[in-house]
Amino acid sequence: MTTLVVRALDDSSAHLFDTMPDPLAFRDKHRHTRYRADWRRIAVRDGRTVARAAWWGKPEDPEPLVINWFDVAEGEEEAGAELLRTAPWQTDELELDLPSGWRTDPRLRAAVDLRAAAARAAGYAPLVERFLYRWTPDRGLPARPGRLRFAPEPDDAVFLGLLRRIHSATLDAHARRAVEQGGPDLAAQQELDVFHWFPSPRAWWRIARTPDGETAGIHIPARNPSGPCVGFIGVVPEQRGHGYAYDLLADCTHFLAGQGAEFIAAATDRSNFPMAAHFTTAGYPVVRERINFWADAAAGAG
């Protein structure tokens, strides 16, 4: 086999990223995503691009947050792994955003298995599978039950305390992983760091209370670099069992629509059946599925 050449791209060579087939329709998935040219890399053999990856984050970030586009040609798993291993960034997470129903289509299943094998060879292990949602105004605004009162809260310490309580018992795989590493304190701080990372205003964050003043949970209407999104929905443990997550989601949707959102992206773990049901009720269709891989920065530092 001839020598593999891994190269970074820049503005003059960015077009080379688009020289591979796209069986998993990543181009359609990322039509709203804006990538820095220098956060995209390709692997070339005999003049043919055999692997490509794109790292994503805010344009002003010193390093990207995640790999969310990863393609590998048939038989080139090691080339894909080398592309990731030699990257200059310590990126813990890799996302494969996949067409819904990919498991039942042999062609799509083979394409997913190929990319997953390359990710594993680079040190990434599967963490969780998720549903991706996309609300649009034609779906109509979800009904508001009117059971909770929503208000901003300027004190980060209040949100941190509520996040500790929420993550003390959670179905979210990312939060559970953080709890295993450092308890609810670490999970809460990581979540708060993400909230601050969003380029949307801090004033958007909302706390929900019952009419008698008891805290029920929080929701974070947000914008990430690709557009409006449901940043977080969380109900404190002692208020669960009332379906309040739907109330939070409905209010979050109304809030973002009031800010002029032409779409709202959202996601939840496939295993989080209650939250998945709330998204369905609120008019959020599943548009893609995702496999999240995690590597504890083992794949970077090339």
Side-chain angles (χ1 to χ4, degrees), residues 15 31 34 61 63 87 103 125 140 147 195 199-200 229 238 244 249 252 262 274 298:
H15 64 281
R31 64 188 181 278
R34 298 293 176 264
D61 286 346
E63 292 188 349
R103 293 171 185 79
R147 300 184 296 173
F195 298 170
S200 44
C229 63
E238 63 271 22
Y244 284 152
L249 176 60
C252 188
E262 297 180 359

PDB file of all heavy atoms in Angstrom, residues 15 31 34 61 63 87 103 125 140 147 195 199-200 229 238 244 249 252 262 274 298:
ATOM      1  N   HIS A  15     -11.621  23.238  -0.400  1.00  0.00           N
ATOM      2  CA  HIS A  15     -12.477  22.496  -1.327  1.00  0.00           C
ATOM      3  C   HIS A  15     -12.126  21.010  -1.392  1.00  0.00           C
ATOM      4  O   HIS A  15     -12.953  20.180  -1.777  1.00  0.00           O
ATOM      5  CB  HIS A  15     -12.364  23.102  -2.726  1.00  0.00           C
ATOM      6  CG  HIS A  15     -10.992  22.992  -3.331  1.00  0.00           C
ATOM      7  ND1 HIS A  15      -9.961  23.844  -2.972  1.00  0.00           N
ATOM      8  CD2 HIS A  15     -10.480  22.129  -4.248  1.00  0.00           C
ATOM      9  CE1 HIS A  15      -8.871  23.513  -3.653  1.00  0.00           C
ATOM     10  NE2 HIS A  15      -9.159  22.470  -4.415  1.00  0.00           N
ATOM     11  N   ARG A  31     -25.414  21.428   6.898  1.00  0.00           N
ATOM     12  CA  ARG A  31     -25.633  22.564   5.994  1.00  0.00           C
ATOM     13  C   ARG A  31     -25.659  23.889   6.748  1.00  0.00           C
ATOM     14  O   ARG A  31     -25.422  24.946   6.153  1.00  0.00           O
ATOM     15  CB  ARG A  31     -26.919  22.367   5.196  1.00  0.00           C
ATOM     16  CG  ARG A  31     -28.190  22.350   6.021  1.00  0.00           C
ATOM     17  CD  ARG A  31     -29.397  21.958   5.155  1.00  0.00           C
ATOM     18  NE  ARG A  31     -30.648  21.950   5.888  1.00  0.00           N
ATOM     19  CZ  ARG A  31     -31.068  20.946   6.639  1.00  0.00           C
ATOM     20  NH1 ARG A  31     -30.314  19.864   6.768  1.00  0.00           N
ATOM     21  NH2 ARG A  31     -32.228  21.007   7.273  1.00  0.00           N
ATOM     22  N   ARG A  34     -20.813  25.931  10.463  1.00  0.00           N
ATOM     23  CA  ARG A  34     -19.711  26.718   9.923  1.00  0.00           C
ATOM     24  C   ARG A  34     -18.406  26.219  10.532  1.00  0.00           C
ATOM     25  O   ARG A  34     -18.236  26.246  11.742  1.00  0.00           O
ATOM     26  CB  ARG A  34     -19.899  28.209  10.229  1.00  0.00           C
ATOM     27  CG  ARG A  34     -21.162  28.797   9.603  1.00  0.00           C
ATOM     28  CD  ARG A  34     -21.079  28.821   8.082  1.00  0.00           C
ATOM     29  NE  ARG A  34     -22.312  29.300   7.468  1.00  0.00           N
ATOM     30  CZ  ARG A  34     -23.273  28.512   7.004  1.00  0.00           C
ATOM     31  NH1 ARG A  34     -23.140  27.196   7.113  1.00  0.00           N
ATOM     32  NH2 ARG A  34     -24.354  29.012   6.458  1.00  0.00           N
ATOM     33  N   ASP A  61     -12.735  30.141  19.514  1.00  0.00           N
ATOM     34  CA  ASP A  61     -12.156  29.221  20.496  1.00  0.00           C
ATOM     35  C   ASP A  61     -10.707  28.898  20.143  1.00  0.00           C
ATOM     36  O   ASP A  61     -10.378  28.722  18.955  1.00  0.00           O
ATOM     37  CB  ASP A  61     -12.950  27.914  20.548  1.00  0.00           C
ATOM     38  CG  ASP A  61     -14.289  28.063  21.238  1.00  0.00           C
ATOM     39  OD1 ASP A  61     -14.497  29.090  21.908  1.00  0.00           O
ATOM     40  OD2 ASP A  61     -15.124  27.143  21.109  1.00  0.00           O
ATOM     41  N   GLU A  63      -9.199  26.102  20.712  1.00  0.00           N
ATOM     42  CA  GLU A  63      -9.206  24.727  20.229  1.00  0.00           C
ATOM     43  C   GLU A  63     -10.652  24.309  19.988  1.00  0.00           C
ATOM     44  O   GLU A  63     -11.579  24.831  20.631  1.00  0.00           O
ATOM     45  CB  GLU A  63      -8.554  23.774  21.236  1.00  0.00           C
ATOM     46  CG  GLU A  63      -7.058  23.970  21.395  1.00  0.00           C
ATOM     47  CD  GLU A  63      -6.428  22.877  22.245  1.00  0.00           C
ATOM     48  OE1 GLU A  63      -7.195  22.113  22.872  1.00  0.00           O
ATOM     49  OE2 GLU A  63      -5.204  22.800  22.284  1.00  0.00           O
ATOM     50  N   ALA A  87      -3.912  14.527  14.914  1.00  0.00           N
ATOM     51  CA  ALA A  87      -4.467  15.879  15.034  1.00  0.00           C
ATOM     52  C   ALA A  87      -3.806  16.626  16.186  1.00  0.00           C
ATOM     53  O   ALA A  87      -3.446  16.024  17.196  1.00  0.00           O
ATOM     54  CB  ALA A  87      -5.972  15.809  15.240  1.00  0.00           C
ATOM     55  N   ARG A 103     -29.848   1.418  11.042  1.00  0.00           N
ATOM     56  CA  ARG A 103     -29.586   0.025  11.408  1.00  0.00           C
ATOM     57  C   ARG A 103     -30.243  -0.976  10.466  1.00  0.00           C
ATOM     58  O   ARG A 103     -29.778  -2.107  10.328  1.00  0.00           O
ATOM     59  CB  ARG A 103     -30.078  -0.249  12.836  1.00  0.00           C
ATOM     60  CG  ARG A 103     -29.314   0.474  13.918  1.00  0.00           C
ATOM     61  CD  ARG A 103     -30.012   0.321  15.262  1.00  0.00           C
ATOM     62  NE  ARG A 103     -29.354   1.120  16.293  1.00  0.00           N
ATOM     63  CZ  ARG A 103     -29.529   2.421  16.433  1.00  0.00           C
ATOM     64  NH1 ARG A 103     -30.344   3.071  15.605  1.00  0.00           N
ATOM     65  NH2 ARG A 103     -28.902   3.083  17.381  1.00  0.00           N
ATOM     66  N   ALA A 125     -14.148   5.208  22.256  1.00  0.00           N
ATOM     67  CA  ALA A 125     -15.076   4.133  22.604  1.00  0.00           C
ATOM     68  C   ALA A 125     -16.497   4.691  22.608  1.00  0.00           C
ATOM     69  O   ALA A 125     -16.714   5.838  22.998  1.00  0.00           O
ATOM     70  CB  ALA A 125     -14.733   3.557  23.975  1.00  0.00           C
ATOM     71  N   GLY A 140     -45.914  24.228  14.825  1.00  0.00           N
ATOM     72  CA  GLY A 140     -46.743  24.875  15.835  1.00  0.00           C
ATOM     73  C   GLY A 140     -46.066  24.889  17.187  1.00  0.00           C
ATOM     74  O   GLY A 140     -45.244  24.022  17.502  1.00  0.00           O
ATOM     75  N   ARG A 147     -48.419  25.261  34.648  1.00  0.00           N
ATOM     76  CA  ARG A 147     -48.263  24.784  36.029  1.00  0.00           C
ATOM     77  C   ARG A 147     -47.074  25.400  36.743  1.00  0.00           C
ATOM     78  O   ARG A 147     -46.979  25.332  37.973  1.00  0.00           O
ATOM     79  CB  ARG A 147     -48.103  23.258  36.026  1.00  0.00           C
ATOM     80  CG  ARG A 147     -49.272  22.516  35.420  1.00  0.00           C
ATOM     81  CD  ARG A 147     -49.074  21.016  35.538  1.00  0.00           C
ATOM     82  NE  ARG A 147     -47.917  20.536  34.781  1.00  0.00           N
ATOM     83  CZ  ARG A 147     -47.461  19.293  34.844  1.00  0.00           C
ATOM     84  NH1 ARG A 147     -48.023  18.430  35.683  1.00  0.00           N
ATOM     85  NH2 ARG A 147     -46.427  18.921  34.100  1.00  0.00           N
ATOM     86  N   PHE A 195     -22.929  25.881  29.528  1.00  0.00           N
ATOM     87  CA  PHE A 195     -23.880  26.999  29.453  1.00  0.00           C
ATOM     88  C   PHE A 195     -23.155  28.307  29.144  1.00  0.00           C
ATOM     89  O   PHE A 195     -23.615  29.119  28.332  1.00  0.00           O
ATOM     90  CB  PHE A 195     -24.651  27.157  30.772  1.00  0.00           C
ATOM     91  CG  PHE A 195     -25.500  25.987  31.171  1.00  0.00           C
ATOM     92  CD1 PHE A 195     -26.075  25.953  32.437  1.00  0.00           C
ATOM     93  CD2 PHE A 195     -25.731  24.930  30.311  1.00  0.00           C
ATOM     94  CE1 PHE A 195     -26.863  24.891  32.829  1.00  0.00           C
ATOM     95  CE2 PHE A 195     -26.528  23.849  30.700  1.00  0.00           C
ATOM     96  CZ  PHE A 195     -27.084  23.830  31.964  1.00  0.00           C
ATOM     97  N   PRO A 199     -22.768  31.007  22.885  1.00  0.00           N
ATOM     98  CA  PRO A 199     -22.660  32.438  22.582  1.00  0.00           C
ATOM     99  C   PRO A 199     -23.937  33.234  22.852  1.00  0.00           C
ATOM    100  O   PRO A 199     -23.938  34.453  22.709  1.00  0.00           O
ATOM    101  CB  PRO A 199     -22.310  32.449  21.083  1.00  0.00           C
ATOM    102  CG  PRO A 199     -22.795  31.144  20.551  1.00  0.00           C
ATOM    103  CD  PRO A 199     -22.692  30.157  21.675  1.00  0.00           C
ATOM    104  N   SER A 200     -25.012  32.563  23.246  1.00  0.00           N
ATOM    105  CA  SER A 200     -26.271  33.251  23.547  1.00  0.00           C
ATOM    106  C   SER A 200     -26.194  33.958  24.902  1.00  0.00           C
ATOM    107  O   SER A 200     -25.348  33.642  25.742  1.00  0.00           O
ATOM    108  CB  SER A 200     -27.425  32.246  23.530  1.00  0.00           C
ATOM    109  OG  SER A 200     -27.067  31.055  24.204  1.00  0.00           O
ATOM    110  N   CYS A 229     -30.918  26.290  19.960  1.00  0.00           N
ATOM    111  CA  CYS A 229     -30.995  24.925  20.459  1.00  0.00           C
ATOM    112  C   CYS A 229     -31.545  24.909  21.879  1.00  0.00           C
ATOM    113  O   CYS A 229     -31.490  25.911  22.592  1.00  0.00           O
ATOM    114  CB  CYS A 229     -29.627  24.246  20.432  1.00  0.00           C
ATOM    115  SG  CYS A 229     -28.387  25.006  21.491  1.00  0.00           S
ATOM    116  N   GLU A 238     -36.793  15.659  43.572  1.00  0.00           N
ATOM    117  CA  GLU A 238     -38.007  15.617  44.382  1.00  0.00           C
ATOM    118  C   GLU A 238     -39.258  16.096  43.642  1.00  0.00           C
ATOM    119  O   GLU A 238     -40.388  15.918  44.128  1.00  0.00           O
ATOM    120  CB  GLU A 238     -37.831  16.443  45.659  1.00  0.00           C
ATOM    121  CG  GLU A 238     -37.588  17.928  45.455  1.00  0.00           C
ATOM    122  CD  GLU A 238     -36.115  18.288  45.304  1.00  0.00           C
ATOM    123  OE1 GLU A 238     -35.308  17.393  44.931  1.00  0.00           O
ATOM    124  OE2 GLU A 238     -35.786  19.462  45.559  1.00  0.00           O
ATOM    125  N   TYR A 244     -42.946  17.500  34.520  1.00  0.00           N
ATOM    126  CA  TYR A 244     -42.513  18.894  34.411  1.00  0.00           C
ATOM    127  C   TYR A 244     -41.487  19.115  33.298  1.00  0.00           C
ATOM    128  O   TYR A 244     -41.332  20.251  32.833  1.00  0.00           O
ATOM    129  CB  TYR A 244     -41.921  19.367  35.739  1.00  0.00           C
ATOM    130  CG  TYR A 244     -42.936  19.673  36.816  1.00  0.00           C
ATOM    131  CD1 TYR A 244     -42.599  19.541  38.161  1.00  0.00           C
ATOM    132  CD2 TYR A 244     -44.216  20.108  36.492  1.00  0.00           C
ATOM    133  CE1 TYR A 244     -43.517  19.836  39.164  1.00  0.00           C
ATOM    134  CE2 TYR A 244     -45.143  20.396  37.477  1.00  0.00           C
ATOM    135  CZ  TYR A 244     -44.789  20.249  38.817  1.00  0.00           C
ATOM    136  OH  TYR A 244     -45.702  20.547  39.795  1.00  0.00           O
ATOM    137  N   LEU A 249     -39.645  22.190  28.498  1.00  0.00           N
ATOM    138  CA  LEU A 249     -39.388  22.173  27.062  1.00  0.00           C
ATOM    139  C   LEU A 249     -40.336  23.122  26.323  1.00  0.00           C
ATOM    140  O   LEU A 249     -39.919  23.851  25.409  1.00  0.00           O
ATOM    141  CB  LEU A 249     -39.532  20.748  26.528  1.00  0.00           C
ATOM    142  CG  LEU A 249     -39.382  20.565  25.021  1.00  0.00           C
ATOM    143  CD1 LEU A 249     -38.013  21.021  24.542  1.00  0.00           C
ATOM    144  CD2 LEU A 249     -39.623  19.107  24.640  1.00  0.00           C
ATOM    145  N   CYS A 252     -39.176  26.648  26.933  1.00  0.00           N
ATOM    146  CA  CYS A 252     -37.932  26.885  26.205  1.00  0.00           C
ATOM    147  C   CYS A 252     -38.212  27.125  24.719  1.00  0.00           C
ATOM    148  O   CYS A 252     -37.630  28.024  24.097  1.00  0.00           O
ATOM    149  CB  CYS A 252     -37.004  25.677  26.394  1.00  0.00           C
ATOM    150  SG  CYS A 252     -35.340  25.894  25.752  1.00  0.00           S
ATOM    151  N   GLU A 262     -35.849  30.271  13.603  1.00  0.00           N
ATOM    152  CA  GLU A 262     -36.477  29.627  12.449  1.00  0.00           C
ATOM    153  C   GLU A 262     -36.406  28.110  12.546  1.00  0.00           C
ATOM    154  O   GLU A 262     -37.048  27.399  11.776  1.00  0.00           O
ATOM    155  CB  GLU A 262     -35.807  30.110  11.165  1.00  0.00           C
ATOM    156  CG  GLU A 262     -35.983  31.605  10.929  1.00  0.00           C
ATOM    157  CD  GLU A 262     -35.319  32.072   9.650  1.00  0.00           C
ATOM    158  OE1 GLU A 262     -34.704  31.238   8.956  1.00  0.00           O
ATOM    159  OE2 GLU A 262     -35.429  33.271   9.339  1.00  0.00           O
ATOM    160  N   PRO A 274     -38.599   8.916  28.918  1.00  0.00           N
ATOM    161  CA  PRO A 274     -39.519  10.012  29.274  1.00  0.00           C
ATOM    162  C   PRO A 274     -39.243  11.290  28.486  1.00  0.00           C
ATOM    163  O   PRO A 274     -40.175  11.928  27.985  1.00  0.00           O
ATOM    164  CB  PRO A 274     -39.271  10.197  30.776  1.00  0.00           C
ATOM    165  CG  PRO A 274     -38.734   8.894  31.245  1.00  0.00           C
ATOM    166  CD  PRO A 274     -37.901   8.381  30.110  1.00  0.00           C
ATOM    167  N   ALA A 298      -7.227  10.881  24.491  1.00  0.00           N
ATOM    168  CA  ALA A 298      -6.191   9.925  24.074  1.00  0.00           C
ATOM    169  C   ALA A 298      -5.912   9.985  22.583  1.00  0.00           C
ATOM    170  O   ALA A 298      -4.854   9.545  22.121  1.00  0.00           O
ATOM    171  CB  ALA A 298      -6.620   8.501  24.448  1.00  0.00           C
TER     172      ALA A 298
END
